[in-house]
């Protein structure tokens, strides 16, 4: 009923590194070609852990946006915006908080683990407990039906689906819904109305999912329906009320195993990162001084790539021939470690050259990023306001 839409956000928690590039941004770049995408800077989310030092967030916001643009996120294809510039997120978060059972939030991994580990009082805040609820508001306010996430974030999408269902169940029942829905069916015209009835019966009586899909397709291709009637017909089809909020699907992002300089997952917490736009001499120094297989004490000692963090980078950056060359050379000690690191280093530097090039215009003229974000915020806000109009109306909050 609503247009396909992807929503994804990132907390501005510092400079992005190659783990973000390979794990998230490359996927965004692909998605922006396939769907309308909304990518946002989750600055309010950053306050859950930085509420006592908000000053670090401001700089990170703009640096991160340049990182996105450098990675190929294209403002001509995707809408880029900042969460706090669309205050409707906060309004929906508040309204959802009224109907969200505490238990739903307490069982979300993250809060549960933090409580079990008995971690510091600084995370025993409502902001931390309510974090998934704000995330749900972020998604639901754009009626986004697709949310790219890693496996560990699936429970957050699941709670969003439950919230949308609960909201639609509580507030989607307008007075006289059945009569209005039947009236809307008549507006489909005799032939389509008959087909709609048949398909609805097949779904509701026999659980025929194919019939449900056909009926949805029928509604999608019917032009002259008002938004209200369209919502009613969707709701009537599935036996519910009006569908006001859309249940999103988790789009499982391809797993990226970007290793850090020590072979663990690349993460700022491990101090093993290469930044997305790091200076070439710094990248060179980091790669050249990377640990290798400890068994290769001397140049003449054979090594085993499986024990070496450099090999993991080869797996990301090297082609079949180079991989075979490195394996053979390592096991026979016919190449040294510096020699083996060279193709990896060159591949990273080449990748970074593209990133630097794309970032340069935005560094030369920071006003460009400001104006991209201003446009994005305006587009995002318009959609958010539309949803909030429906939400307020459904909850009886439009006092006129
Ligand atoms: S030759 Fe390459 S794979 Fe082998 S230990 Fe040295 S850096 Fe690692």
């Amino acid at each position: 009923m609503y247009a396909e839409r992807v929503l994804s956000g990132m907390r501005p928690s510092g400079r992005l590194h190659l783990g973000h590039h390979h794990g998230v941004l490359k996927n965004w770049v692909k998605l922006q070609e396939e769907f309308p995408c909304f990518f946002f800077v989750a600055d309010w989310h950053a306050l859950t852990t930085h509420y006592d030092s908000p000053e670090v967030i401001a700089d990170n916001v703009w640096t991160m946006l340049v990182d996105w643009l450098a990675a190929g996120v294209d403002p001509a294809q995707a809408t880029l915006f900042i969460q706090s510039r669309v205050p409707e997120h906060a309004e929906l978060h508040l309204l959802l908080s009224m109907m969200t059972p505490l238990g739903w939030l307490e069982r979300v991994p993250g809060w549960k683990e933090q409580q079990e580990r008995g971690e510091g009082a600084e995370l025993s805040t409502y902001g931390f407990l309510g974090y998934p609820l704000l995330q749900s508001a972020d998604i639901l306010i754009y009626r986004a039906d697709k949310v790219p996430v890693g496996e560990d974030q699936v429970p957050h999408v699941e709670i969003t689906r439950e919230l949308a269902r609960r909201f639609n169940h509580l507030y989607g029942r307008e007075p006289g819904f059945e009569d209005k829905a039947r009236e809307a069916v008549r507006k489909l015209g005799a032939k389509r109305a008959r087909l709609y009835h048949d398909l609805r019966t097949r779904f509701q009586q026999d659980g025929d999912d194919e019939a449900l899909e056909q009926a949805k397709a029928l509604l999608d291709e019917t032009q002259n329906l008002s938004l209200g009637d369209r919502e009613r017909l969707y709701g009537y089809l599935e036996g519910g009320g009006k569908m006001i909020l859309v249940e999103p699907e988790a789009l499982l992002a391809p797993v990226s195993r970007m290793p850090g300089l020590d072979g663990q997952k690349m993460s700022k917490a491990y101090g093993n990162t290469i930044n997305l736009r790091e200076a070439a001499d710094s990248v060179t120094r980091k790669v050249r001084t990377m640990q290798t297989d400890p068994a290769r004490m001397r140049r003449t000692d054979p090594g085993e790539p499986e024990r070496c963090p450099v090999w993991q980078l080869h797996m990301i950056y090297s082609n079949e021939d180079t991989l075979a060359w490195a394996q053979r050379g390592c096991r026979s000690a016919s190449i040294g470690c510096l020699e083996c690191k060279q193709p990896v280093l060159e591949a990273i530097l080449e990748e970074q050259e593209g990133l630097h090039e794309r970032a340069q215009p935005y560094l030369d003229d920071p006003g460009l990023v400001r104006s991209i974000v201003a446009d994005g915020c305006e587009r995002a806000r318009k959609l958010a306001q539309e949803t909030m109009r429906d939400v307020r109306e459904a909850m009886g909050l439009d006092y006129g």
Side-chain angles (χ1 to χ4, degrees):
M1 171 177 69
Y2 295 103
E4 287 186 305
R5 198 168 288 147
V6 171
L7 189 280
S8 193
M10 219 187 257
R11 287 159 49 127
S13 54
R15 296 200 79 116
L16 299 187
H17 52 66
L18 291 181
H20 297 111
H21 181 43
H22 288 264
V24 180
L25 295 173
K26 280 183 154 186
N27 191 38
W28 282 12
V29 169
K30 192 169 145 278
L31 286 172
Q32 73 187 2
E33 284 164 15
E34 296 169 18
F35 306 105
C37 287
F38 283 68
F39 299 134
F40 71 100
V41 178
D43 56 340
W44 278 338
H45 284 290
L47 284 170
T48 48
T49 46
H50 286 84
Y51 60 85
D52 53 353
S53 52
E55 63 283 354
V56 301
I57 297 173
D59 277 351
N60 291 340
V61 167
W62 298 107
T63 310
M64 185 168 84
L65 280 158
V66 175
D67 280 339
W68 291 2
L69 295 161
V73 175
D74 178 2
Q77 290 182 292
T79 300
L80 312 187
F81 67 100
I82 299 173
Q83 182 186 31
S84 63
R85 299 263 177 99
V86 186
E88 285 75 11
H89 288 236
E91 185 184 357
L92 185 57
H93 173 223
L94 176 120
L95 294 177
L96 291 176
S97 77
M98 304 300 173
M99 45 153 270
T100 305
L102 259 187
W104 287 16
L105 296 174
E106 285 168 344
R107 67 166 196 250
V108 173
W111 171 262
K112 218 168 100 194
E113 285 149 16
Q114 182 254 343
Q115 294 297 302
E116 282 164 7
R117 284 198 302 263
E119 278 173 6
E122 70 275 7
L123 280 182
S124 286
T125 56
Y126 168 69
F128 190 61
L129 174 68
Y131 178 86
L133 192 56
L134 180 56
Q135 250 183 359
S136 297
D138 298 334
I139 299 166
L140 295 173
I141 201 147
Y142 298 104
R143 290 166 163 152
D145 61 332
K146 296 178 181 58
V147 183
V149 285
E151 201 84 57
D152 56 333
Q153 289 280 311
V154 170
H156 290 229
V157 179
E158 196 41 53
I159 191 176
T160 308
R161 293 169 58 82
E162 284 174 19
L163 281 162
R165 271 199 292 273
R166 186 167 169 83
F167 185 96
N168 292 338
H169 177 73
L170 286 170
Y171 306 112
R173 286 263 169 218
E174 59 186 338
F177 172 75
E178 300 273 329
D179 290 343
K180 285 180 183 167
R182 273 192 288 270
E183 182 54 36
V185 176
R186 269 194 292 279
K187 290 183 196 163
L188 289 172
K191 207 168 137 202
R192 280 172 191 259
R194 224 179 3 259
L195 182 56
Y196 176 90
H197 268 307
D198 287 351
L199 294 167
R200 177 174 179 267
T201 309
R202 270 170 52 198
F203 172 66
Q204 293 201 357
Q205 288 183 2
D206 312 328
D208 184 341
D209 288 333
E210 204 177 308
L212 176 66
E213 289 314 312
Q214 282 177 25
K216 284 181 177 173
L218 174 78
L219 294 177
D220 284 343
E221 71 198 25
T222 305
Q223 302 286 335
N224 49 355
L225 276 175
S226 70
L227 189 59
D229 278 343
R230 206 174 277 278
E231 286 172 352
R232 284 179 196 107
L233 289 174
Y234 270 91
Y236 192 51
L237 195 55
E238 298 189 57
K242 256 169 104 172
M243 192 208 287
I244 300 154
L245 299 178
V246 172
E247 289 180 41
E249 298 282 346
L251 264 191
L252 269 190
V255 182
S256 158
R257 304 209 182 279
M258 184 70 195
L261 294 161
D262 55 0
Q264 297 186 78
K265 184 177 178 220
M266 188 175 281
S267 160
K268 231 167 61 174
Y270 301 142
N272 63 0
T273 58
I274 296 176
N275 286 340
L276 202 123
R277 293 179 284 125
E278 190 150 337
D281 56 348
S282 169
V283 176
T284 306
R285 188 173 32 79
K286 282 184 175 177
V287 174
R288 290 217 171 122
T289 53
M290 267 181 81
Q291 275 178 16
T292 59
D293 175 5
R296 290 204 78 182
M297 302 281 281
R298 287 175 300 265
R299 164 73 175 76
T300 47
D301 294 332
E304 173 47 55
E306 297 298 335
R307 287 193 300 256
C308 175
V310 179
W311 173 247
Q312 293 190 40
L313 285 179
H314 266 299
M315 306 268 277
I316 302 278
Y317 285 103
S318 300
N319 62 24
E320 295 284 308
D321 289 348
T322 309
L323 288 174
W325 166 82
Q327 261 184 333
R328 226 177 15 249
C330 179
R331 288 180 180 142
S332 63
S334 61
I335 59 170
C337 288
L338 269 182
E339 207 180 339
C340 178
K341 287 172 175 178
Q342 193 58 27
V344 169
L345 174 61
E346 282 168 15
I348 297 177
L349 289 177
E350 194 186 323
E351 178 178 64
Q352 295 232 324
E353 217 175 282
L355 295 165
H356 284 297
E357 259 171 38
R358 275 193 296 270
Q360 201 53 50
Y362 303 107
L363 298 174
D364 293 341
D365 180 3
L368 276 179
V369 188
R370 301 297 205 265
S371 109
I372 287 167
V373 168
D375 285 353
C377 290
E378 202 181 312
R379 267 206 300 275
R381 190 146 195 222
K382 214 166 142 245
L383 271 179
Q385 284 172 336
E386 270 173 29
T387 307
M388 283 316 297
R389 255 197 309 275
D390 291 351
V391 165
R392 287 186 211 115
E393 188 194 311
M395 294 181 77
L397 296 170
D398 56 342
Y399 306 123

